[in-house]
Short mmCIF file of all heavy atoms in Angstrom, two decimals:
data_model
loop_
_atom_site.label_atom_id
_atom_site.label_comp_id
_atom_site.label_asym_id
_atom_site.label_seq_id
_atom_site.Cartn_x
_atom_site.Cartn_y
_atom_site.Cartn_z
N GLU A 287 14.20 -8.09 -10.26
CA GLU A 287 13.24 -7.08 -10.69
C GLU A 287 12.76 -6.27 -9.49
O GLU A 287 12.59 -6.81 -8.40
CB GLU A 287 12.05 -7.73 -11.39
CG GLU A 287 12.41 -8.40 -12.70
CD GLU A 287 11.19 -8.87 -13.47
OE1 GLU A 287 10.08 -8.35 -13.20
OE2 GLU A 287 11.34 -9.76 -14.32
N ARG A 288 12.53 -4.99 -9.73
CA ARG A 288 12.10 -4.07 -8.69
C ARG A 288 10.72 -3.53 -9.05
O ARG A 288 10.51 -3.03 -10.15
CB ARG A 288 13.11 -2.92 -8.59
CG ARG A 288 12.77 -1.85 -7.61
CD ARG A 288 13.91 -0.81 -7.55
NE ARG A 288 13.46 0.37 -6.82
CZ ARG A 288 12.82 1.38 -7.37
NH1 ARG A 288 12.58 1.39 -8.66
NH2 ARG A 288 12.44 2.41 -6.62
N SER A 289 9.77 -3.64 -8.12
CA SER A 289 8.39 -3.22 -8.39
C SER A 289 7.86 -2.35 -7.25
O SER A 289 7.81 -2.80 -6.10
CB SER A 289 7.49 -4.46 -8.56
OG SER A 289 6.14 -4.09 -8.74
N LEU A 290 7.48 -1.11 -7.58
CA LEU A 290 6.91 -0.21 -6.59
C LEU A 290 5.44 -0.53 -6.36
O LEU A 290 4.69 -0.76 -7.31
CB LEU A 290 7.06 1.25 -7.04
CG LEU A 290 8.47 1.82 -7.04
CD1 LEU A 290 8.47 3.22 -7.64
CD2 LEU A 290 9.04 1.86 -5.63
N ILE A 291 5.02 -0.54 -5.12
CA ILE A 291 3.65 -0.91 -4.77
C ILE A 291 2.65 0.12 -5.27
O ILE A 291 1.54 -0.24 -5.70
CB ILE A 291 3.52 -1.07 -3.24
CG1 ILE A 291 4.44 -2.18 -2.75
CG2 ILE A 291 2.07 -1.37 -2.86
CD1 ILE A 291 4.23 -3.51 -3.41
N ASP A 292 3.01 1.40 -5.24
CA ASP A 292 2.06 2.45 -5.57
C ASP A 292 1.93 2.72 -7.07
O ASP A 292 1.14 3.58 -7.48
CB ASP A 292 2.46 3.76 -4.87
CG ASP A 292 2.34 3.64 -3.35
OD1 ASP A 292 1.54 2.80 -2.89
OD2 ASP A 292 3.06 4.36 -2.64
N GLU A 293 2.68 2.00 -7.90
CA GLU A 293 2.58 2.20 -9.34
C GLU A 293 1.33 1.51 -9.91
O GLU A 293 0.86 0.51 -9.37
CB GLU A 293 3.81 1.64 -10.04
CG GLU A 293 5.06 2.47 -9.85
CD GLU A 293 6.22 1.91 -10.64
OE1 GLU A 293 6.27 0.69 -10.86
OE2 GLU A 293 7.08 2.71 -11.04
N GLU A 294 0.84 2.05 -11.00
CA GLU A 294 -0.30 1.44 -11.68
C GLU A 294 0.11 0.08 -12.24
O GLU A 294 1.20 -0.08 -12.78
CB GLU A 294 -0.77 2.35 -12.82
CG GLU A 294 -2.04 1.87 -13.50
CD GLU A 294 -2.53 2.85 -14.56
OE1 GLU A 294 -1.96 3.95 -14.66
OE2 GLU A 294 -3.47 2.50 -15.28
N ASP A 295 -0.76 -0.91 -12.10
CA ASP A 295 -0.50 -2.28 -12.56
C ASP A 295 0.77 -2.86 -11.94
O ASP A 295 1.54 -3.57 -12.59
CB ASP A 295 -0.39 -2.32 -14.09
CG ASP A 295 -1.67 -1.89 -14.77
OD1 ASP A 295 -2.76 -2.20 -14.25
OD2 ASP A 295 -1.60 -1.23 -15.83
N SER A 296 1.00 -2.56 -10.68
CA SER A 296 2.20 -3.02 -9.99
C SER A 296 2.16 -4.52 -9.74
O SER A 296 1.22 -5.03 -9.13
CB SER A 296 2.35 -2.28 -8.65
OG SER A 296 3.31 -2.91 -7.84
N LEU A 297 3.20 -5.22 -10.21
CA LEU A 297 3.31 -6.65 -9.96
C LEU A 297 3.50 -6.91 -8.48
O LEU A 297 2.95 -7.86 -7.91
CB LEU A 297 4.48 -7.25 -10.75
CG LEU A 297 4.75 -8.74 -10.54
CD1 LEU A 297 3.53 -9.57 -10.93
CD2 LEU A 297 5.97 -9.18 -11.34
N GLY A 298 4.27 -6.03 -7.81
CA GLY A 298 4.49 -6.18 -6.38
C GLY A 298 3.20 -6.09 -5.59
O GLY A 298 2.98 -6.84 -4.64
N ALA A 299 2.32 -5.16 -5.99
CA ALA A 299 1.03 -5.01 -5.30
C ALA A 299 0.17 -6.25 -5.49
O ALA A 299 -0.50 -6.70 -4.55
CB ALA A 299 0.31 -3.77 -5.83
N GLU A 300 0.22 -6.83 -6.68
CA GLU A 300 -0.53 -8.06 -6.94
C GLU A 300 -0.01 -9.20 -6.06
O GLU A 300 -0.79 -9.98 -5.51
CB GLU A 300 -0.41 -8.45 -8.41
CG GLU A 300 -1.14 -7.51 -9.37
CD GLU A 300 -1.00 -7.95 -10.82
OE1 GLU A 300 -0.56 -9.11 -11.04
OE2 GLU A 300 -1.31 -7.16 -11.71
N GLU A 301 1.31 -9.27 -5.95
CA GLU A 301 1.90 -10.32 -5.12
C GLU A 301 1.50 -10.17 -3.66
O GLU A 301 1.20 -11.15 -2.98
CB GLU A 301 3.43 -10.29 -5.27
CG GLU A 301 3.90 -10.77 -6.62
CD GLU A 301 5.39 -10.62 -6.81
OE1 GLU A 301 6.00 -9.74 -6.16
OE2 GLU A 301 5.96 -11.38 -7.62
N LEU A 302 1.49 -8.93 -3.16
CA LEU A 302 1.09 -8.71 -1.77
C LEU A 302 -0.34 -9.17 -1.52
O LEU A 302 -0.64 -9.77 -0.49
CB LEU A 302 1.23 -7.23 -1.40
CG LEU A 302 2.64 -6.72 -1.11
CD1 LEU A 302 2.58 -5.24 -0.77
CD2 LEU A 302 3.28 -7.49 0.03
N ASP A 303 -1.22 -8.88 -2.47
CA ASP A 303 -2.61 -9.32 -2.34
C ASP A 303 -2.69 -10.85 -2.30
O ASP A 303 -3.45 -11.43 -1.51
CB ASP A 303 -3.45 -8.79 -3.52
CG ASP A 303 -3.70 -7.30 -3.42
OD1 ASP A 303 -3.57 -6.74 -2.32
OD2 ASP A 303 -4.03 -6.69 -4.46
N GLU A 304 -1.89 -11.50 -3.15
CA GLU A 304 -1.87 -12.96 -3.18
C GLU A 304 -1.34 -13.53 -1.87
O GLU A 304 -1.85 -14.53 -1.35
CB GLU A 304 -1.02 -13.45 -4.35
CG GLU A 304 -1.63 -13.17 -5.72
CD GLU A 304 -0.71 -13.57 -6.85
OE1 GLU A 304 0.37 -14.14 -6.56
OE2 GLU A 304 -1.07 -13.33 -8.01
N TYR A 305 -0.30 -12.89 -1.33
CA TYR A 305 0.26 -13.36 -0.07
C TYR A 305 -0.77 -13.30 1.05
O TYR A 305 -0.85 -14.20 1.89
CB TYR A 305 1.48 -12.52 0.34
CG TYR A 305 2.66 -12.65 -0.59
CD1 TYR A 305 3.57 -11.61 -0.73
CD2 TYR A 305 2.88 -13.81 -1.33
CE1 TYR A 305 4.66 -11.72 -1.58
CE2 TYR A 305 3.96 -13.92 -2.18
CZ TYR A 305 4.85 -12.87 -2.30
OH TYR A 305 5.91 -12.97 -3.14
N GLY A 306 -1.55 -12.23 1.06
CA GLY A 306 -2.58 -12.10 2.09
C GLY A 306 -3.53 -13.27 2.08
O GLY A 306 -3.93 -13.78 3.13
N ASP A 307 -3.91 -13.73 0.87
CA ASP A 307 -4.79 -14.89 0.74
C ASP A 307 -4.07 -16.18 1.10
O ASP A 307 -4.62 -17.05 1.78
CB ASP A 307 -5.32 -14.99 -0.69
CG ASP A 307 -6.24 -13.83 -1.06
OD1 ASP A 307 -6.84 -13.24 -0.13
OD2 ASP A 307 -6.35 -13.51 -2.26
N GLN A 308 -2.81 -16.31 0.67
CA GLN A 308 -2.06 -17.55 0.85
C GLN A 308 -1.75 -17.84 2.32
O GLN A 308 -1.74 -19.00 2.73
CB GLN A 308 -0.74 -17.49 0.07
CG GLN A 308 -0.91 -17.53 -1.43
CD GLN A 308 0.41 -17.29 -2.15
OE1 GLN A 308 1.47 -17.20 -1.53
NE2 GLN A 308 0.35 -17.19 -3.47
N ILE A 309 -1.50 -16.81 3.11
CA ILE A 309 -1.06 -17.04 4.49
C ILE A 309 -2.20 -17.14 5.49
O ILE A 309 -1.97 -17.48 6.65
CB ILE A 309 -0.08 -15.95 4.96
CG1 ILE A 309 -0.82 -14.61 5.18
CG2 ILE A 309 1.08 -15.80 4.00
CD1 ILE A 309 0.05 -13.55 5.85
N SER A 310 -3.42 -16.88 5.06
CA SER A 310 -4.54 -16.79 6.01
C SER A 310 -4.71 -18.05 6.85
O SER A 310 -5.12 -17.98 8.02
CB SER A 310 -5.85 -16.47 5.27
OG SER A 310 -6.15 -17.48 4.33
N ASP A 311 -4.41 -19.22 6.29
CA ASP A 311 -4.57 -20.48 7.03
C ASP A 311 -3.23 -21.05 7.51
O ASP A 311 -3.19 -22.18 8.00
CB ASP A 311 -5.26 -21.52 6.14
CG ASP A 311 -6.69 -21.12 5.79
OD1 ASP A 311 -7.32 -20.47 6.65
OD2 ASP A 311 -7.14 -21.45 4.69
N CYS A 312 -2.15 -20.27 7.40
CA CYS A 312 -0.83 -20.76 7.80
C CYS A 312 -0.63 -20.61 9.30
O CYS A 312 -1.42 -20.00 10.00
CB CYS A 312 0.26 -20.00 7.04
SG CYS A 312 0.30 -20.37 5.26
N LYS A 313 0.47 -21.18 9.77
CA LYS A 313 0.81 -21.16 11.19
C LYS A 313 2.25 -20.66 11.36
O LYS A 313 3.07 -20.83 10.47
CB LYS A 313 0.68 -22.55 11.79
CG LYS A 313 -0.70 -23.18 11.66
CD LYS A 313 -1.75 -22.43 12.47
CE LYS A 313 -3.12 -23.11 12.35
NZ LYS A 313 -4.17 -22.39 13.06
N PRO A 314 2.58 -20.11 12.51
CA PRO A 314 1.69 -19.81 13.64
C PRO A 314 0.81 -18.59 13.38
O PRO A 314 1.14 -17.74 12.56
CB PRO A 314 2.67 -19.56 14.79
CG PRO A 314 3.92 -19.09 14.12
CD PRO A 314 3.99 -19.81 12.82
N GLU A 315 -0.29 -18.52 14.08
CA GLU A 315 -1.25 -17.44 13.88
C GLU A 315 -0.65 -16.08 14.20
O GLU A 315 -1.02 -15.07 13.58
CB GLU A 315 -2.50 -17.69 14.72
CG GLU A 315 -3.29 -18.92 14.28
CD GLU A 315 -4.50 -19.18 15.15
OE1 GLU A 315 -4.72 -18.39 16.10
OE2 GLU A 315 -5.23 -20.15 14.88
N SER A 316 0.26 -16.03 15.16
CA SER A 316 0.88 -14.74 15.52
C SER A 316 1.68 -14.18 14.35
O SER A 316 1.72 -12.97 14.13
CB SER A 316 1.80 -14.91 16.73
OG SER A 316 2.80 -15.88 16.49
N ALA A 317 2.31 -15.07 13.56
CA ALA A 317 3.07 -14.63 12.38
C ALA A 317 2.13 -14.13 11.29
O ALA A 317 2.43 -13.16 10.59
CB ALA A 317 3.93 -15.77 11.86
N VAL A 318 0.99 -14.80 11.13
CA VAL A 318 0.00 -14.35 10.14
C VAL A 318 -0.47 -12.94 10.46
O VAL A 318 -0.55 -12.08 9.58
CB VAL A 318 -1.19 -15.33 10.09
CG1 VAL A 318 -2.29 -14.78 9.17
CG2 VAL A 318 -0.74 -16.70 9.61
N ALA A 319 -0.76 -12.68 11.73
CA ALA A 319 -1.20 -11.35 12.14
C ALA A 319 -0.11 -10.31 11.90
O ALA A 319 -0.38 -9.20 11.42
CB ALA A 319 -1.61 -11.37 13.61
N TYR A 320 1.12 -10.66 12.24
CA TYR A 320 2.26 -9.75 12.05
C TYR A 320 2.43 -9.42 10.57
O TYR A 320 2.58 -8.25 10.19
CB TYR A 320 3.53 -10.40 12.60
CG TYR A 320 4.81 -9.72 12.19
CD1 TYR A 320 5.28 -8.60 12.88
CD2 TYR A 320 5.57 -10.19 11.11
CE1 TYR A 320 6.47 -7.98 12.51
CE2 TYR A 320 6.75 -9.57 10.74
CZ TYR A 320 7.19 -8.47 11.44
OH TYR A 320 8.37 -7.85 11.05
N LEU A 321 2.40 -10.44 9.71
CA LEU A 321 2.61 -10.23 8.28
C LEU A 321 1.47 -9.44 7.65
O LEU A 321 1.70 -8.57 6.81
CB LEU A 321 2.78 -11.58 7.58
CG LEU A 321 4.08 -12.32 7.89
CD1 LEU A 321 4.00 -13.76 7.39
CD2 LEU A 321 5.27 -11.60 7.28
N THR A 322 0.25 -9.75 8.05
CA THR A 322 -0.91 -9.04 7.51
C THR A 322 -0.78 -7.54 7.77
O THR A 322 -1.07 -6.71 6.89
CB THR A 322 -2.21 -9.58 8.13
OG1 THR A 322 -2.33 -10.98 7.83
CG2 THR A 322 -3.42 -8.85 7.57
N GLU A 323 -0.34 -7.19 8.95
CA GLU A 323 -0.12 -5.78 9.28
C GLU A 323 1.09 -5.22 8.55
O GLU A 323 1.07 -4.08 8.08
CB GLU A 323 0.07 -5.64 10.79
CG GLU A 323 0.23 -4.20 11.26
CD GLU A 323 0.33 -4.09 12.77
OE1 GLU A 323 -0.09 -5.04 13.46
OE2 GLU A 323 0.84 -3.06 13.26
N TYR A 324 2.12 -6.03 8.41
CA TYR A 324 3.36 -5.56 7.78
C TYR A 324 3.16 -5.26 6.29
O TYR A 324 3.77 -4.32 5.75
CB TYR A 324 4.47 -6.61 7.94
CG TYR A 324 5.85 -6.04 7.73
CD1 TYR A 324 6.61 -5.61 8.81
CD2 TYR A 324 6.41 -5.93 6.46
CE1 TYR A 324 7.87 -5.08 8.64
CE2 TYR A 324 7.67 -5.40 6.27
CZ TYR A 324 8.40 -4.97 7.37
OH TYR A 324 9.66 -4.42 7.18
N PHE A 325 2.34 -6.04 5.62
CA PHE A 325 2.12 -5.84 4.19
C PHE A 325 1.68 -4.41 3.88
O PHE A 325 1.98 -3.87 2.81
CB PHE A 325 1.09 -6.83 3.65
CG PHE A 325 1.56 -8.26 3.63
CD1 PHE A 325 0.64 -9.30 3.57
CD2 PHE A 325 2.91 -8.58 3.70
CE1 PHE A 325 1.06 -10.62 3.56
CE2 PHE A 325 3.35 -9.90 3.69
CZ PHE A 325 2.41 -10.92 3.62
N ASP A 326 0.97 -3.78 4.79
CA ASP A 326 0.52 -2.40 4.57
C ASP A 326 1.67 -1.40 4.56
O ASP A 326 1.53 -0.29 4.06
CB ASP A 326 -0.49 -1.99 5.65
CG ASP A 326 -1.81 -2.72 5.52
OD1 ASP A 326 -2.13 -3.17 4.39
OD2 ASP A 326 -2.53 -2.86 6.53
#
């Protein structure tokens, strides 16, 4: 399945938001910072 982030009710956008929460306590911290910036 293909989901555009900028679409209304985008499943992909919801997943990105969830990932941001899920990785906050993960390691290594440098990867968390990289991914947090990359999600944008």
Side-chain angles (χ1 to χ4, degrees):
E287 294 188 21
R288 177 177 168 273
S289 177
L290 290 174
I291 299 304
D292 295 334
E293 287 184 331
E294 186 176 352
D295 298 324
S296 167
L297 177 60
E300 291 181 13
E301 289 175 334
L302 282 180
D303 288 340
E304 291 175 4
Y305 295 152
D307 294 335
Q308 291 173 6
I309 71 171
S310 60
D311 295 328
C312 292
K313 302 294 181 182
E315 294 178 0
S316 58
V318 173
Y320 167 83
L321 290 167
T322 300
E323 183 176 340
Y324 199 95
F325 292 160
D326 290 335

